[in-house]
């Protein structure tokens, strides 16, 4: 089996579609145990399958497995996908315009899939700094020098911050940051927070838009048409692991295997509200050697 890791850098807001809505809020998919937003594997698989079925309809039936149709039972395919989870989340800063936050939980999830777990020293160091007692405890670990740091409107002074070396982490996301643009600043504006603080800032940092429908003649709001839509903001970086099984007759899926790697190193649109341009992402994929995967 060949396993891969794909980085998904959002170019536009991502609305993943929640299983339920609260009041007039059109929510997004969230992990049940952490409340962090995520992109379900089923959404990833469905989108990628639809793209590849257009190019290789017959091979897709073998590669992804037969669907339930015409009385035929479903079959297991040759490819698997895991959920796409948050890795770096953009936050407005009055002192630095924009910074990216992460936490030990996200870094640990990422580290599980990286060859030889290179981030373990950074994760351990960050947890120690953020969990020290009273006067020695820091509120944030950063990758840059600063006298003060605003996270949205919350002010952290120099005594609340500790800088560490994140070169190893920078090397890991070089496929994304080397593309240029604002994402190239990510490791120069990185803030590591506790898992709890990360949850709070992600919740306030989600993009929310209010939508209404108007009466045609009066231009007043139609009854019950008001709603608020949530989305993960652009500049967010997520990742998801996936893999291809050996297969019994790989010659029958040779073309679709090549096309899979190609589309997962290109721009692709995920989630809902596609007509509004939601969900465009730039994808970069690395291959994980068999001996290095969990």
């Amino acid at each position: 089996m060949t396993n891969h890791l794909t980085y998904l850098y959002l170019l536009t807001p991502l609305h993943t579609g929640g299983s339920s809505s609260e009041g007039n809020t059109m929510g997004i998919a969230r992990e049940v145990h952490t409340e962090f937003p995520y992109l379900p594997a089923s959404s990833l698989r469905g989108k990628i399958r639809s793209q590849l079925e257009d190019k290789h309809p017959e091979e897709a039936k073998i590669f992804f497995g037969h669907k339930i149709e015409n009385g035929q039972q479903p079959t297991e395919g040759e490819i698997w996908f895991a959920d796409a989870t948050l890795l770096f989340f953009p936050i407005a800063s009055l002192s630095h315009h924009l910074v990216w936050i992460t936490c030990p939980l996200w870094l640990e999830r990422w580290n599980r899939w990286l060859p030889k777990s290179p981030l373990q020293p950074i994760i351990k160091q960050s947890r120690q700094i953020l969990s020290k007692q009273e006067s020695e405890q820091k509120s944030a670990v950063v990758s840059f020098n600063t006298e003060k740091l605003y996270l949205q409107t919350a002010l952290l002074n120099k005594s609340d911050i500790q800088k560490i070396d994140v070169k190893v982490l920078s090397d890991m996301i070089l496929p994304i940051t080397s593309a240029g643009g604002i994402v190239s600043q990510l490791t120069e504006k990185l803030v590591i927070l506790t898992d709890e603080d990360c949850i709070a800032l992600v919740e306030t940092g989600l993009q929310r838009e209010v939508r209404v429908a108007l009466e045609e003649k009066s231009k007043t709001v139609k009854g019950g048409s008001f709603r608020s839509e949530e989305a993960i903001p652009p500049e967010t970086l997520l990742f998801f692991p996936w893999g291809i099984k050996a297969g019994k007759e790989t010659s029958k899926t040779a073309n679709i295997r090549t096309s899979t790697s190609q589309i997962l190193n290109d721009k692709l649109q995920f989630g809902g509200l596609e007509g509004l341009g939601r969900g465009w992402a730039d994808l970069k994929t690395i291959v994980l050697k068999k001996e290095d995967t969990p």
Side-chain angles (χ1 to χ4, degrees):
M1 178 185 292
T2 303
N3 292 331
H4 304 74
L5 200 63
T6 295
Y7 298 106
L8 193 152
Y9 177 68
L10 294 186
L11 305 176
T12 62
L14 172 65
H15 177 82
T16 54
S19 57
S20 63
S21 297
E22 296 182 7
N24 290 325
T25 299
M26 189 175 174
I28 55 179
R30 295 172 182 269
E31 298 174 350
V32 67
H33 60 308
T34 67
E35 287 294 309
F36 282 127
Y38 76 109
L39 179 56
S42 57
S43 297
L44 288 167
R45 182 184 179 89
K47 179 63 178 184
I48 294 166
R49 177 168 188 158
S50 68
Q51 295 288 307
L52 292 171
E53 279 181 331
D54 291 339
K55 295 182 178 180
H56 315 287
E58 293 304 315
E59 290 190 19
K61 294 177 182 178
I62 302 172
F63 194 56
F64 287 92
H66 288 278
K67 298 179 180 178
I68 301 177
E69 56 184 3
N70 300 325
Q72 185 179 30
Q73 292 299 310
T75 60
E76 184 178 358
E78 298 176 356
I79 188 168
W80 63 269
F81 294 92
D83 298 330
T85 56
L86 295 174
L87 184 53
F88 302 110
F89 190 89
I91 289 291
S93 170
L94 295 175
S95 56
H96 293 79
H97 178 231
L98 178 72
V99 296
W100 282 267
I101 62 170
T102 189
C103 60
L105 173 61
W106 296 355
L107 295 177
E108 284 175 354
R109 289 178 172 181
W110 182 29
N111 196 48
R112 294 168 192 166
W113 293 95
L114 295 174
K116 301 179 182 178
S117 304
L119 301 181
Q120 196 57 44
I122 290 180
I123 295 169
K124 182 178 179 180
Q125 184 182 12
S126 298
R127 283 202 182 277
Q128 289 176 340
I129 293 170
L130 296 172
S131 63
K132 286 181 178 179
Q133 300 299 315
E134 299 178 358
S135 60
E136 294 184 349
Q137 185 178 14
K138 303 295 182 181
S139 298
V141 176
V142 299
S143 64
F144 51 93
N145 293 311
T146 183
E147 294 295 320
K148 62 180 180 180
L149 171 64
Y150 278 94
L151 296 176
Q152 294 177 344
T153 57
L155 173 61
L156 299 180
N157 293 309
K158 191 172 183 178
S159 60
D160 302 316
I161 302 167
Q162 183 165 329
K163 180 179 180 293
I164 66 169
D165 184 1
V166 296
K167 185 180 184 306
V168 173
L169 186 152
S170 302
D171 293 342
M172 294 297 102
I173 58 171
L174 197 59
I176 288 288
T177 56
S178 62
I182 192 172
V183 69
S184 64
Q185 304 174 23
L186 195 156
T187 52
E188 299 169 8
K189 290 187 173 184
L190 182 62
V191 180
I192 304 174
L193 304 171
T194 64
D195 299 341
E196 296 77 12
D197 286 344
C198 218
I199 290 172
L201 281 172
V202 166
E203 186 60 32
T204 58
L206 290 175
Q207 182 167 314
R208 293 180 174 88
E209 294 183 359
V210 175
R211 300 193 180 280
V212 297
L214 300 178
E215 296 285 357
E216 185 176 347
K217 294 181 179 180
S218 64
K219 299 302 181 183
T220 57
V221 178
K222 289 182 179 179
S225 65
F226 167 86
R227 73 179 189 276
S228 177
E229 296 172 352
E230 289 184 333
I232 303 173
E235 322 313 331
T236 299
L237 184 63
L238 304 92
F239 78 95
F240 64 92
W242 59 280
I244 300 178
K245 304 173 187 176
K248 296 180 180 179
E249 297 180 87
T250 56
S251 60
K252 293 184 177 180
T253 57
N255 295 321
I256 199 170
R257 286 168 179 257
T258 300
S259 294
T260 299
S261 296
Q262 291 174 347
I263 69 169
L264 290 176
N265 279 288
D266 201 351
K267 293 180 177 64
L268 204 57
Q269 194 175 17
F270 296 98
L273 305 177
E274 291 186 353
L276 298 177
R278 298 292 185 265
W280 278 107
D282 190 13
L283 279 61
K284 293 291 185 292
T285 297
I286 62 172
V287 178
L288 301 172
K289 295 180 180 179
K290 184 176 181 180
E291 61 268 22
D292 292 329
T293 53

mmCIF file of all heavy atoms in Angstrom, residues 253-271:
data_model
loop_
_atom_site.group_PDB
_atom_site.id
_atom_site.type_symbol
_atom_site.label_atom_id
_atom_site.label_comp_id
_atom_site.label_asym_id
_atom_site.label_seq_id
_atom_site.Cartn_x
_atom_site.Cartn_y
_atom_site.Cartn_z
ATOM 1 N N THR A 253 -6.450 -0.167 -13.545
ATOM 2 C CA THR A 253 -6.657 1.154 -12.931
ATOM 3 C C THR A 253 -5.409 2.028 -13.059
ATOM 4 O O THR A 253 -5.244 2.980 -12.300
ATOM 5 C CB THR A 253 -7.041 1.004 -11.447
ATOM 6 O OG1 THR A 253 -6.016 0.256 -10.768
ATOM 7 C CG2 THR A 253 -8.377 0.312 -11.287
ATOM 8 N N ALA A 254 -4.555 1.707 -14.015
ATOM 9 C CA ALA A 254 -3.299 2.442 -14.168
ATOM 10 C C ALA A 254 -3.529 3.913 -14.475
ATOM 11 O O ALA A 254 -2.866 4.799 -13.924
ATOM 12 C CB ALA A 254 -2.448 1.793 -15.260
ATOM 13 N N ASN A 255 -4.491 4.211 -15.356
ATOM 14 C CA ASN A 255 -4.715 5.601 -15.758
ATOM 15 C C ASN A 255 -5.306 6.439 -14.623
ATOM 16 O O ASN A 255 -4.890 7.579 -14.400
ATOM 17 C CB ASN A 255 -5.662 5.642 -16.964
ATOM 18 C CG ASN A 255 -5.055 5.009 -18.198
ATOM 19 O OD1 ASN A 255 -3.873 5.159 -18.465
ATOM 20 N ND2 ASN A 255 -5.855 4.271 -18.962
ATOM 21 N N ILE A 256 -6.256 5.877 -13.887
ATOM 22 C CA ILE A 256 -6.902 6.636 -12.828
ATOM 23 C C ILE A 256 -5.951 6.856 -11.647
ATOM 24 O O ILE A 256 -6.042 7.868 -10.939
ATOM 25 C CB ILE A 256 -8.210 5.949 -12.368
ATOM 26 C CG1 ILE A 256 -9.097 6.963 -11.626
ATOM 27 C CG2 ILE A 256 -7.940 4.734 -11.514
ATOM 28 C CD1 ILE A 256 -10.487 6.446 -11.358
ATOM 29 N N ARG A 257 -5.030 5.937 -11.452
ATOM 30 C CA ARG A 257 -4.030 6.126 -10.392
ATOM 31 C C ARG A 257 -3.145 7.331 -10.702
ATOM 32 O O ARG A 257 -2.836 8.136 -9.818
ATOM 33 C CB ARG A 257 -3.174 4.865 -10.239
ATOM 34 C CG ARG A 257 -3.902 3.713 -9.564
ATOM 35 C CD ARG A 257 -3.143 2.396 -9.678
ATOM 36 N NE ARG A 257 -3.836 1.318 -9.004
ATOM 37 C CZ ARG A 257 -3.492 0.812 -7.818
ATOM 38 N NH1 ARG A 257 -2.440 1.293 -7.194
ATOM 39 N NH2 ARG A 257 -4.182 -0.163 -7.281
ATOM 40 N N THR A 258 -2.756 7.459 -11.953
ATOM 41 C CA THR A 258 -1.945 8.612 -12.354
ATOM 42 C C THR A 258 -2.743 9.905 -12.232
ATOM 43 O O THR A 258 -2.235 10.915 -11.724
ATOM 44 C CB THR A 258 -1.468 8.439 -13.808
ATOM 45 O OG1 THR A 258 -0.679 7.254 -13.914
ATOM 46 C CG2 THR A 258 -0.640 9.640 -14.251
ATOM 47 N N SER A 259 -4.001 9.879 -12.662
ATOM 48 C CA SER A 259 -4.840 11.073 -12.614
ATOM 49 C C SER A 259 -5.124 11.508 -11.181
ATOM 50 O O SER A 259 -5.263 12.702 -10.898
ATOM 51 C CB SER A 259 -6.164 10.822 -13.334
ATOM 52 O OG SER A 259 -5.953 10.617 -14.720
ATOM 53 N N THR A 260 -5.209 10.561 -10.252
ATOM 54 C CA THR A 260 -5.454 10.894 -8.850
ATOM 55 C C THR A 260 -4.333 11.763 -8.304
ATOM 56 O O THR A 260 -4.577 12.783 -7.647
ATOM 57 C CB THR A 260 -5.589 9.618 -8.000
ATOM 58 O OG1 THR A 260 -6.690 8.844 -8.475
ATOM 59 C CG2 THR A 260 -5.822 9.962 -6.542
ATOM 60 N N SER A 261 -3.105 11.371 -8.565
ATOM 61 C CA SER A 261 -1.963 12.164 -8.097
ATOM 62 C C SER A 261 -1.945 13.542 -8.741
ATOM 63 O O SER A 261 -1.567 14.537 -8.104
ATOM 64 C CB SER A 261 -0.651 11.425 -8.397
ATOM 65 O OG SER A 261 -0.589 10.209 -7.680
ATOM 66 N N GLN A 262 -2.367 13.619 -9.972
ATOM 67 C CA GLN A 262 -2.374 14.905 -10.673
ATOM 68 C C GLN A 262 -3.384 15.881 -10.087
ATOM 69 O O GLN A 262 -3.066 17.034 -9.834
ATOM 70 C CB GLN A 262 -2.661 14.673 -12.162
ATOM 71 C CG GLN A 262 -1.534 13.980 -12.906
ATOM 72 C CD GLN A 262 -1.901 13.633 -14.345
ATOM 73 O OE1 GLN A 262 -3.076 13.683 -14.741
ATOM 74 N NE2 GLN A 262 -0.905 13.268 -15.134
ATOM 75 N N ILE A 263 -4.629 15.423 -9.848
ATOM 76 C CA ILE A 263 -5.640 16.354 -9.344
ATOM 77 C C ILE A 263 -5.394 16.712 -7.885
ATOM 78 O O ILE A 263 -5.849 17.763 -7.418
ATOM 79 C CB ILE A 263 -7.076 15.807 -9.515
ATOM 80 C CG1 ILE A 263 -7.339 14.618 -8.606
ATOM 81 C CG2 ILE A 263 -7.361 15.464 -10.958
ATOM 82 C CD1 ILE A 263 -8.793 14.233 -8.550
ATOM 83 N N LEU A 264 -4.662 15.856 -7.158
ATOM 84 C CA LEU A 264 -4.343 16.182 -5.774
ATOM 85 C C LEU A 264 -3.051 16.976 -5.661
ATOM 86 O O LEU A 264 -2.476 17.120 -4.567
ATOM 87 C CB LEU A 264 -4.277 14.906 -4.933
ATOM 88 C CG LEU A 264 -5.642 14.245 -4.704
ATOM 89 C CD1 LEU A 264 -5.506 12.943 -3.943
ATOM 90 C CD2 LEU A 264 -6.588 15.186 -3.971
ATOM 91 N N ASN A 265 -2.604 17.518 -6.757
ATOM 92 C CA ASN A 265 -1.520 18.502 -6.789
ATOM 93 C C ASN A 265 -1.947 19.694 -7.634
ATOM 94 O O ASN A 265 -1.132 20.308 -8.320
ATOM 95 C CB ASN A 265 -0.242 17.878 -7.358
ATOM 96 C CG ASN A 265 0.515 17.070 -6.325
ATOM 97 O OD1 ASN A 265 1.114 17.620 -5.405
ATOM 98 N ND2 ASN A 265 0.471 15.750 -6.459
ATOM 99 N N ASP A 266 -3.224 20.005 -7.559
ATOM 100 C CA ASP A 266 -3.796 21.086 -8.368
ATOM 101 C C ASP A 266 -4.819 21.835 -7.527
ATOM 102 O O ASP A 266 -4.937 21.607 -6.328
ATOM 103 C CB ASP A 266 -4.455 20.485 -9.620
ATOM 104 C CG ASP A 266 -4.610 21.505 -10.740
ATOM 105 O OD1 ASP A 266 -4.369 22.700 -10.504
ATOM 106 O OD2 ASP A 266 -4.995 21.089 -11.846
ATOM 107 N N LYS A 267 -5.581 22.720 -8.122
ATOM 108 C CA LYS A 267 -6.652 23.434 -7.439
ATOM 109 C C LYS A 267 -7.957 22.647 -7.582
ATOM 110 O O LYS A 267 -8.258 22.140 -8.658
ATOM 111 C CB LYS A 267 -6.814 24.848 -7.993
ATOM 112 C CG LYS A 267 -5.631 25.762 -7.697
ATOM 113 C CD LYS A 267 -5.863 27.148 -8.271
ATOM 114 C CE LYS A 267 -4.724 28.082 -7.907
ATOM 115 N NZ LYS A 267 -3.446 27.660 -8.487
ATOM 116 N N LEU A 268 -8.714 22.554 -6.496
ATOM 117 C CA LEU A 268 -9.946 21.787 -6.496
ATOM 118 C C LEU A 268 -10.935 22.463 -5.556
ATOM 119 O O LEU A 268 -10.534 23.138 -4.606
ATOM 120 C CB LEU A 268 -9.675 20.347 -6.045
ATOM 121 C CG LEU A 268 -10.652 19.257 -6.492
ATOM 122 C CD1 LEU A 268 -10.772 19.224 -8.005
ATOM 123 C CD2 LEU A 268 -10.184 17.896 -5.981
ATOM 124 N N GLN A 269 -12.225 22.278 -5.829
ATOM 125 C CA GLN A 269 -13.277 22.914 -5.042
ATOM 126 C C GLN A 269 -14.013 21.871 -4.208
ATOM 127 O O GLN A 269 -14.441 20.840 -4.709
ATOM 128 C CB GLN A 269 -14.257 23.637 -5.969
ATOM 129 C CG GLN A 269 -15.192 24.604 -5.273
ATOM 130 C CD GLN A 269 -16.047 25.379 -6.268
ATOM 131 O OE1 GLN A 269 -16.183 24.990 -7.430
ATOM 132 N NE2 GLN A 269 -16.616 26.488 -5.827
ATOM 133 N N PHE A 270 -14.157 22.155 -2.900
ATOM 134 C CA PHE A 270 -14.790 21.229 -1.972
ATOM 135 C C PHE A 270 -15.951 21.915 -1.250
ATOM 136 O O PHE A 270 -16.060 23.131 -1.218
ATOM 137 C CB PHE A 270 -13.787 20.729 -0.920
ATOM 138 C CG PHE A 270 -12.659 19.928 -1.482
ATOM 139 C CD1 PHE A 270 -11.434 20.526 -1.733
ATOM 140 C CD2 PHE A 270 -12.805 18.579 -1.754
ATOM 141 C CE1 PHE A 270 -10.377 19.791 -2.232
ATOM 142 C CE2 PHE A 270 -11.752 17.831 -2.259
ATOM 143 C CZ PHE A 270 -10.536 18.443 -2.505
ATOM 144 N N GLY A 271 -16.786 21.090 -0.609
ATOM 145 C CA GLY A 271 -17.848 21.601 0.232
ATOM 146 C C GLY A 271 -19.040 22.102 -0.550
ATOM 147 O O GLY A 271 -19.222 21.811 -1.729
#
